[in-house]
Every structure is written in structure tokens, then in C-alpha cells.
Amino acid sequence: MHVIVYGAGAVGSVLGGLLSVRNHDVHLVCRDSHAKAIAEEGLRVRSATGDYIAHPDATPTLEKSHVRDDSVVLLT
């Protein structure tokens, strides 16, 4: 499944990060500075189930090329 999280702030990043560490193909659409930090360091998720470093794709804009036939979009 390909998951696009549109508006990945605090809540969207946690959802996307947890999906990513569970081997889903995740693309976060978030602020430019957030996307750059994810690209450089990964996305650190701290939750009740543990601490993870996820590596989803992240960009500040959603391009047509990011959307696939099997994409699911979460608006957060």
C-alpha cells in the first residue's frame, strides 16, 4: 500500500512514521524544513510501543508523480 500523509505535522508524522517502520510505502507532505530534516536524519517516532527511526519520503508539495493507482491519502 502507498500512503500519502498530506499535512504531516505532529499527528500526521507519527501516523506516517509508524506505517513506514511497518514496511508501508509512505510519502509525507509537510513543511520544507521538516522534509529536509527527515531526509537528513530520518523521522524519530516515540510512542507507547517503542522508539523508532523511520525513513519515509517527504516533500513540501504534492506532485502528480507522487500519486499512484494504489495510493491512499490521509489528510491531517
Side-chain angles (χ1 to χ4, degrees), residues 5-59:
V5 181
Y6 194 88
V11 173
S13 291
V14 169
L15 290 172
L18 290 174
L19 287 168
S20 180
V21 297
R22 285 167 178 76
N23 297 318
H24 291 284
D25 185 12
V26 178
H27 185 96
L28 304 179
V29 181
C30 53
R31 290 178 293 115
D32 188 44
S33 59
H34 192 44
K36 287 179 183 175
I38 291 169
E40 292 173 4
E41 303 170 20
L43 176 65
R44 181 179 305 243
V45 178
R46 293 182 180 173
S47 74
T49 60
D51 296 346
Y52 310 97
I53 301 289
H55 297 279
D57 292 329
T59 57

